[in-house]
Amino acid sequence: SVPFLIRLFPFVLTKITFLNFLAFPFFVDLQRPELLLNNTVNLYLTTEPGVTVGIWHTVPGSRGAEAQGKDQRWYEEALADAYPVIIYLHGNGGTR
């Protein structure tokens, strides 16, 4: 019956394949990454009018002791130092 249902409703295959309606991990506040990762802060960037992108900024482990107890402003200033910045884009339907 599954091939018949997919033939009738092809959008079901896309939903099952990508699971873009599922937010994972469950019951985790992704706006507070410091609860999951050390030395991490949540920032928002406006890329164009009406589009805001949420990012997590994590400093390298070598600066971990320096980052302890710092506020968001310190993390923003840390983006301008000599250390390289690695951008990793990831998400699923519930968190994109």
Side-chain angles (χ1 to χ4, degrees):
S1 66
V2 172
F4 179 72
L5 288 173
I6 291 174
R7 181 78 171 166
L8 281 177
F9 309 105
F11 67 89
V12 172
L13 181 62
T14 305
K15 293 290 185 187
I16 292 172
T17 302
F18 295 109
L19 295 176
N20 60 346
F21 56 89
L22 184 64
F24 186 79
F26 305 111
F27 310 112
V28 174
D29 184 9
L30 296 176
Q31 294 181 353
R32 302 208 44 219
E34 64 274 6
L35 300 176
L36 301 171
L37 299 169
N38 293 331
N39 312 321
T40 305
V41 67
N42 191 31
L43 304 170
Y44 291 97
L45 300 175
T46 302
T47 57
E48 58 187 57
V51 178
T52 302
V53 179
I55 64 167
W56 285 5
H57 177 212
T58 303
V59 295
S62 61
R63 296 188 72 190
E66 183 184 354
Q68 292 294 324
K70 302 292 184 178
D71 61 353
Q72 182 172 340
R73 183 178 175 143
W74 182 88
Y75 281 90
E76 291 172 2
E77 291 172 356
L79 287 172
D81 62 12
Y83 290 95
V85 175
I86 298 171
I87 298 174
Y88 173 70
L89 305 173
H90 184 270
N92 60 25
T95 57
R96 242 187 305 216

